Amino acid sequence: MLGPVLLAAARSDAIRRAVSAAPLTRPVVDRFVAGERLDQSLAAVRELTGAGLAVTLDHLGEDVTDKGQVARARDAYLALLEGLRAEGLGQRAELSLKLSAFGLRLPGGGEEFALRSVEPVLAAAEEAGTMVTLDMEDHTAVDGTLAVLAALRGRFPRTGVAVQSYLFRTEDDCRALAAAGCRVRLVKGAYREPASVAYQDKRQVDLAYVRALRVLFAGGAHPMIATHDPRLIAIAEELARRAGRDEDGYEFQMLYGIRTEEQLRLARAGHTMRVYVPYGTDWYGYFMRRLAERPANLGFFARSLLTRG
């Protein structure tokens, strides 16, 4: 029952102000967000890659309200890519971005505007020797995101996309993406979605996740298995074995600050284990969705407040 409450709180400006102003919030947020500045994100990349992990970096921000914010998002990613290039980290660190930060939902914006806005980031990523994955947002953004993906892959074929197993449509989307040979990050989903478009029961979401995984492994996709669930990790390893995929044919992904020992175990076992590292000042919505996803995260937050109180 807490999940819907927390997801609603993620969109509340009043709760955002209260949480952001609380003196005990920052130390807890630091577990899940690698700082607000570029240098802090690069320090996290150096630490993680030094431990044998791969990285995907997300400059936090979405649902922008004007074109000036789009320009700032673009410039933040270009600065990040320059930092990765300068430190020779392009082979171990890719980027994740949300198209709503690039104007997908702006009045007078839309798919064409988002495509033009994000193309310089894709070009710079290619020059830096790395890749970009388009994060998926709520169900109203799926068609637009996939349309932009199709346009980008004509010029940047390594562009990836995230899909969410709790949406009814995702199994069919995976069939199309697998046929196109796309890099596909499969997640369960972290937005509050209506019962008309998404499974509401955790077991149904998990079953849908496995069905989507089967589709991706059976086709030409590069599955990016984004889960912390030990059962789904074991199932993915078995599906990879049955499909004859070696460790270069798929990868695991987990969130920064969650199940760090399991991340290291998978890397030591020879898997590509990519850590999703968010950074930036717009951390509130991301943080609240992480709390909504796992009750254990909320428990950690509460314990940290009590301990520091």
Side-chain angles (χ1 to χ4, degrees), residues 157-284:
R158 296 196 299 168
T159 306
V161 70
V163 295
Q164 301 164 118
S165 72
Y166 68 175
L167 295 180
F168 299 150
R169 62 175 290 169
T170 293
E171 192 173 346
D172 287 336
D173 287 335
C174 284
R175 289 191 181 92
L177 293 166
C182 189
R183 296 169 57 251
V184 182
R185 175 192 296 144
L186 180 61
V187 304
K188 292 184 182 181
Y191 292 85
R192 186 179 184 181
E193 298 285 14
S196 58
V197 301
Y199 298 107
Q200 306 295 304
D201 178 73
K202 180 182 182 301
R203 181 173 180 273
Q204 292 299 319
V205 174
D206 288 352
L207 290 172
Y209 194 102
V210 174
R211 291 195 300 271
L213 263 187
R214 292 182 186 278
V215 170
L216 294 175
F217 274 114
H222 177 85
M224 300 185 285
I225 305 145
T227 183
H228 307 96
D229 188 328
R231 297 168 304 161
L232 294 179
I233 291 169
I235 289 170
E237 289 178 309
E238 176 61 19
L239 290 175
R241 186 191 66 78
R242 293 181 185 179
R245 299 282 187 109
D246 61 24
E247 284 78 5
D248 293 331
Y250 63 99
E251 65 185 63
F252 290 103
Q253 297 191 357
M254 294 187 189
L255 299 172
Y256 181 72
I258 299 179
R259 299 205 73 201
T260 53
E261 288 302 317
E262 177 65 1
Q263 293 174 14
L264 293 170
R265 184 193 72 81
L266 288 167
R268 290 168 185 152
H271 295 291
T272 297
M273 174 62 244
R274 192 176 302 278
V275 183
Y276 188 101
V277 178
Y279 78 101
T281 58
D282 193 14
W283 52 262
Y284 174 77

Side-chain angles (χ1 to χ4, degrees), residues 63 99-100 104-105 111 134-150 161-174 176-177 187 189 191 193 197-198:
D63 290 332
L99 287 178
S100 70
L104 184 65
R105 289 181 166 134
E111 295 166 17
L134 306 181
D135 277 332
M136 193 56 74
E137 304 179 60
D138 69 45
H139 75 279
T140 64
V142 176
D143 285 333
T145 299
L146 293 179
V148 174
L149 171 75
V161 70
V163 295
Q164 301 164 118
S165 72
Y166 68 175
L167 295 180
F168 299 150
R169 62 175 290 169
T170 293
E171 192 173 346
D172 287 336
D173 287 335
C174 284
L177 293 166
V187 304
Y191 292 85
E193 298 285 14
V197 301

